Amino acid sequence: MVVEIENLVKRYGDLVALDHFNLAIEEGEVFGLLGPNGSGKSTTIHCLLSLLKYDKGTIRVFGQEMKPTSYDIKKDIGVIMQNVAVFDELTVYENIDYFCGLYIREQKERKQLVKEAIDFVELQDYRKFYPKKLSGGLLRRLNIACGIAHKPRLIILDEPTVAVDPQSRNKILEGIQRLNKEGATIIYTSHYMEEVEQICTRIAIMDKGKNVALGTKDELKAMIDLGETISVEILELADEVKEAVGRLPHVIKVSYENYLLKVKFSKGKHNLLRLLDLLKEQEVGFGGLHSELPTLNDVFLEITGKELRD
Amino acid sequence: MLHFIYRIKLMLRQRTGMFWCLLFPVFLGMLFYFMLGNIENLEQFHEVPVGILATDMESSGEMFVETLKSAGTEDGTPMFAVTEYEDKDEANQALDAEEINGYITIGTDYALTVKESDINSSIIKMFIDQYMQNEALIKEVAMTHPERVQELVMQMFSEEAEIKEIPLAGQDKSPYTQYFYALLAMTCLFAANVGLVNGIDIQADLSMVAARRNVAPAKKMRQVMVDFLASYFMYCVLATLVLGICIFVYKQDFGSNAGFILLGTWVGSFVGIAAGTMIAVVFKGDRQKKQGLCVAFFLISSFFGGLQWGDITYYLEKSCPIVNRLNPATLIVNSFKSLAVFGDYQQYAVNLITLFLIGLLFLMISIWKLRRTQYASL
């Protein structure tokens, strides 16, 4: 195991931020911590890094207990914080060199690693730029370079794509997958379910400091009844037809808003065919048609009764 | 060495910090130079032009003129520039033309004629009064006790010796150098801002950069010490620069004490940085609150040190002398004064050692607080 967290409890006064939280991450995984803001993702990361005091529980990294003085463990960890953590007074190159220097003392080796990190985040043209001159996306890439330049075995990314443009976001996600292919274990926290679905091999869903669900994205989706959601564009829909749709087999919920009929089905076959047959039979004309498989948001909704982005 | 160099780069590129640590003292020094330099020139003594109009020049009159001509300040500068006139019209013309401040008519008495009452006419008047008083005394003793005239004259000379100005042992000849001592003390205390930044940059609950540094395998104490030594080294360079500008550009003559004053600024800077670091580490609150505390430390220390109101140190010496013994600003200024004004090297050493120990205490407290710190919240 790369990371083992057992019965972790962290309180802020009366607020329980982590409530007997458990987690086990194996080597080579891209592990996603998914949850809404305030669910305890960042607190988990800060406790894992021994930055925060916690009230109860044990944390082991690479098989050893994690403490503030666990320097042997820390040298193999790379951290990309939620907020950009760089010096405004140092250039892109100098920032990466400075933070890499906290891990690697040998100058020649460090120089090569800094170059590789700059190439990795594609900041070659900005080496002499000061952070204030960089766009939000470029700044995030610098933040990542500072965290991974020393080639860590475990990389922790705490919401690295917040306030990032789509192009930079894709580059960041591609980069994380590349780091994983090169052998790093990744812990990725986010409240963007699409990102977690895209890159994570295993996911823990957090809510109110608890691990409410754990598994691969398919395993998580298999935990809920929802099979698919079919949306049909209809100009006018009579109440009788809507009720008839609701009586079809496996239908969980029917809604009609803004000329869009949305039908949620539980798992089952031929749901789309049955719906189309009914509309034809009732002589209802329709335009576009769209079928969606369940998302992690649906999983979260079914488990907690609220939207992931609430 | 890498982090030492980067810390220096960080410090040099922090414009606000550089303004307060270097440019502000230099500007203030320039202000002193232009304002106080002129006052000093104005207060230099110039001989008083005085005329003599002899209507009845007896032997005593000749003696008066000789005494007037020979009167001088301690460094040998004549007190009066004496011009003798034959008649009253000639003397009045010279007075109207402001060639002389007044003329003395020597007859049975010494009568002073002036155009207006000012400092120079007062000096002439005081001289005449003193001379007449002594002359009358000698005449009286000569009539009653002629054998004691010589003794009286000797006593007059010895009285003169008793009221002679005794210079202090220091080499400071300018009354305005003290403003530059205050300036140097202020520069030292500004180092607290540098220490504050060091303290904030190592605490994960105060800055994101610190969080990144805390998760690195580099030992925290090593990082704290490297930050401290780098900023201290750089600040010593800045303090030396400020002192150099005072000496070579603003022409402040610290005599052979310049080296000791430099050492004083280095020890003062040590205390300043240590105090700033301690404020950042010991007191709870966010960055703004700590910055406010740092400014408060600077203002209170410099106020009690007499940088704004010089007499406060005398009142504190009477009512609460411990403040003068422990307040960094007072210790810095007093170490300079003990050298430059009193030439007291022992007191200088005591002040500097006390300062150093205070700085060391601040630093130890900071290190003790930072050791293995984990935070309640980030």
Side-chain angles (χ1 to χ4, degrees):
Chain A
M1 284 299 169
V2 173
V3 174
E4 291 169 274
I5 298 175
E6 287 176 13
N7 279 321
L8 189 63
V9 177
K10 168 67 188 172
R11 293 189 188 92
Y12 295 111
D14 293 335
L15 178 78
V16 182
L18 291 174
D19 188 0
H20 296 88
F21 183 77
N22 292 290
L23 195 66
I25 300 170
E26 289 177 23
E27 191 159 5
E29 281 193 284
V30 180
F31 191 91
L33 273 178
L34 183 67
N37 290 330
S39 59
K41 302 185 298 293
S42 294
T43 303
T44 305
I45 298 302
H46 293 150
C47 289
L48 173 62
L49 293 168
S50 274
L51 285 173
L52 274 182
K53 288 177 199 162
Y54 46 89
D55 301 284
K56 196 180 162 189
T58 56
I59 298 174
R60 297 175 76 81
V61 179
F62 301 126
Q64 297 174 59
E65 191 187 346
M66 185 66 178
K67 291 181 286 188
T69 51
S70 302
Y71 302 118
D72 282 346
I73 300 174
K74 285 181 173 182
K75 72 180 169 53
D76 286 324
I77 301 177
V79 185
I80 290 105
M81 300 286 184
Q82 188 172 351
N83 297 318
V84 175
V86 295
F87 288 110
D88 287 339
E89 297 83 6
L90 298 181
T91 64
V92 164
Y93 182 90
E94 288 169 340
N95 262 300
I96 301 170
D97 191 37
Y98 177 89
F99 288 111
C100 188
L102 293 171
Y103 296 81
I104 310 290
R105 286 197 183 184
E106 213 271 304
Q107 193 185 356
K108 201 175 170 187
E109 184 188 358
R110 194 176 63 247
K111 199 173 176 183
Q112 179 61 27
L113 288 171
V114 172
K115 185 187 174 301
E116 285 175 22
I118 289 174
D119 291 344
F120 183 82
V121 293
E122 298 181 17
L123 284 174
Q124 297 93 327
D125 297 336
Y126 303 93
R127 291 162 61 98
K128 291 184 178 174
F129 277 54
Y130 286 95
K132 280 184 179 171
K133 299 280 179 191
L134 299 178
S135 67
L138 293 175
L139 204 54
R140 287 277 166 184
R141 277 147 70 178
L142 168 62
N143 197 35
I144 290 172
C146 290
I148 55 112
H150 59 287
K151 292 210 183 296
R153 285 167 58 199
L154 170 65
I155 301 173
I156 299 168
L157 298 106
D158 190 7
E159 309 223 22
T161 57
V162 172
V164 168
D165 60 277
Q167 194 191 352
S168 286
R169 178 177 292 194
N170 286 337
K171 278 192 187 299
I172 290 169
L173 296 178
E174 283 167 22
I176 291 166
Q177 285 175 314
R178 255 190 296 154
L179 287 167
N180 179 242
K181 276 181 190 162
E182 287 169 12
T185 304
I186 311 280
I187 300 177
Y188 187 87
T189 81
S190 179
H191 61 269
Y192 296 126
M193 58 181 177
E194 303 86 355
E195 289 181 3
V196 174
E197 274 197 67
Q198 187 184 333
I199 66 166
C200 294
T201 51
R202 225 153 50 98
I203 300 155
I205 295 180
M206 292 186 72
D207 185 43
K208 293 178 181 170
K210 284 185 179 174
N211 189 346
V212 292
L214 177 71
T216 64
K217 61 182 174 185
D218 293 332
E219 285 170 348
L220 289 172
K221 287 172 186 176
M223 287 177 186
I224 59 171
D225 278 343
L226 185 67
E228 61 185 324
T229 303
I230 297 172
S231 306
V232 189
E233 287 173 15
I234 297 171
L235 203 59
E236 196 174 349
L237 186 72
D239 286 346
E240 307 86 70
V241 180
K242 189 181 166 189
E243 283 165 15
V245 171
R247 286 194 294 272
L248 286 172
H250 308 301
V251 170
I252 300 169
K253 190 182 174 188
V254 182
S255 64
Y256 178 69
E257 272 178 2
N258 299 324
Y259 312 112
L260 196 69
L261 172 69
K262 268 193 168 183
V263 187
K264 290 195 171 193
F265 291 94
S266 61
K267 292 176 183 82
K269 289 179 178 177
H270 313 301
N271 292 330
L272 179 61
L273 283 175
R274 283 197 195 101
L275 177 63
L276 292 177
D277 285 347
L278 176 73
L279 293 175
K280 195 177 173 185
E281 191 183 296
Q282 297 288 330
E283 296 179 342
V284 177
F286 59 88
L289 188 143
H290 183 64
S291 174
E292 268 183 302
L293 289 170
T295 63
L296 291 175
N297 190 45
D298 296 316
V299 177
F300 191 80
L301 182 66
E302 188 157 325
I303 293 171
T304 66
K306 61 186 178 187
E307 296 276 342
L308 193 56
R309 289 177 186 172
D310 277 355
Chain B
M1 199 61 191
L2 174 85
H3 295 109
F4 188 88
I5 292 165
Y6 274 130
R7 202 71 211 170
I8 288 174
K9 279 189 180 182
L10 278 167
M11 194 178 155
L12 288 174
R13 290 175 189 171
Q14 279 162 355
R15 288 181 189 173
T16 314
M18 286 303 289
F19 172 79
W20 289 109
C21 298
L22 180 67
L23 294 181
F24 184 70
V26 168
F27 283 141
L28 208 58
M30 191 189 292
L31 213 66
F32 291 162
Y33 174 66
F34 285 116
M35 289 176 70
L36 305 176
N38 285 338
I39 294 171
E40 193 169 357
N41 287 337
L42 286 173
E43 290 199 358
Q44 275 178 353
F45 181 77
H46 298 285
E47 53 192 13
V48 180
V50 62
I52 294 292
L53 179 62
T55 54
D56 183 14
M57 187 70 90
E58 294 175 355
S59 60
S60 64
E62 281 172 14
M63 188 176 286
F64 175 83
V65 173
E66 282 308 309
T67 311
L68 190 68
K69 283 179 178 173
S70 64
T73 60
E74 204 149 84
D75 61 358
T77 309
M79 195 175 278
F80 300 103
V82 182
T83 312
E84 294 184 32
Y85 298 100
E86 294 296 325
D87 59 58
K88 198 174 178 178
D89 291 341
E90 197 183 350
N92 281 330
Q93 274 176 14
L95 190 62
D96 288 339
E98 295 181 353
E99 290 168 9
I100 52 175
N101 288 112
Y103 64 86
I104 302 163
T105 308
I106 302 174
T108 51
D109 212 339
Y110 305 101
L112 175 64
T113 308
V114 294
K115 195 176 177 185
E116 59 186 24
S117 180
D118 58 11
I119 291 174
N120 283 354
S121 59
S122 299
I123 292 171
I124 302 167
K125 178 75 168 59
M126 277 175 68
F127 177 85
I128 293 169
D129 291 345
Q130 186 70 41
Y131 183 87
M132 286 171 70
Q133 196 181 339
N134 288 348
E135 189 184 48
L137 191 64
I138 291 169
K139 276 180 180 170
E140 191 183 333
V141 171
M143 281 192 288
T144 54
H145 303 285
E147 73 284 0
R148 299 189 67 180
V149 169
Q150 193 177 357
E151 188 188 344
L152 176 68
V153 172
M154 291 295 285
Q155 196 181 345
M156 280 177 174
F157 274 112
S158 87
E159 271 176 9
E160 195 181 333
E162 275 170 26
I163 58 165
K164 206 167 103 176
E165 184 186 358
I166 300 167
L168 293 165
Q171 298 176 10
D172 186 4
K173 298 286 186 277
S174 165
Y176 305 105
T177 309
Q178 62 174 308
Y179 289 98
F180 284 89
Y181 295 146
L183 179 77
L184 291 170
M186 189 192 71
T187 307
C188 294
L189 291 180
F190 274 148
N193 288 316
V194 177
L196 187 81
V197 173
N198 286 351
I200 287 171
D201 278 354
I202 198 66
Q203 293 181 91
D205 57 344
L206 293 176
S207 80
M208 288 312 298
V209 161
R212 201 191 272 291
R213 294 176 78 192
N214 272 261
V215 298
K219 290 182 179 174
K220 201 182 220 177
M221 284 314 101
R222 191 172 165 272
Q223 293 190 56
V224 171
M225 286 314 295
V226 169
D227 286 357
F228 187 88
L229 291 174
S231 49
Y232 179 54
F233 168 77
M234 199 56 232
Y235 209 89
C236 284
V237 172
L238 293 180
T240 308
L241 208 60
V242 172
L243 181 64
I245 289 169
C246 289
I247 294 171
F248 297 109
V249 181
Y250 303 145
K251 307 291 180 198
Q252 279 307 301
D253 183 10
F254 297 113
S256 61
N257 290 328
F260 290 104
I261 288 170
L262 180 63
L263 181 64
T265 60
W266 288 357
V267 178
S269 303
F270 173 77
V271 178
I273 295 175
T277 308
M278 192 184 73
I279 288 167
V281 172
V282 171
F283 295 99
K284 289 183 178 175
D286 58 14
R287 195 185 186 112
Q288 282 71 29
K289 189 179 172 188
K290 286 167 197 271
Q291 281 170 337
L293 283 169
C294 197
V295 172
F297 158 76
F298 166 75
L299 288 176
I300 293 168
S301 179
S302 57
F303 176 73
F304 286 145
L307 302 195
Q308 285 96 352
W309 178 38
D311 290 347
I312 185 87
T313 50
Y314 301 113
Y315 291 114
L316 283 171
E317 194 61 41
K318 283 180 186 172
S319 57
C320 191
I322 189 75
V323 177
N324 283 352
R325 302 293 168 275
L326 296 176
N327 179 31
T330 312
L331 288 168
I332 296 169
V333 173
N334 282 354
S335 69
F336 295 154
K337 279 186 181 170
S338 60
L339 264 189
V341 180
F342 305 106
D344 187 347
Y345 287 85
Q346 194 180 348
Q347 189 55 45
Y348 165 82
V350 168
N351 285 338
L352 247 55
I353 289 167
T354 312
L355 261 177
F356 178 74
L357 290 176
I358 289 171
L360 203 61
L361 180 71
F362 288 169
L363 191 62
M364 290 295 120
I365 291 171
S366 307
I367 288 173
W368 176 73
K369 279 290 285 182
L370 281 171
R371 275 179 77 243
R372 297 177 185 180
T373 308
Q374 279 182 294
Y375 302 93
S377 63
L378 295 183

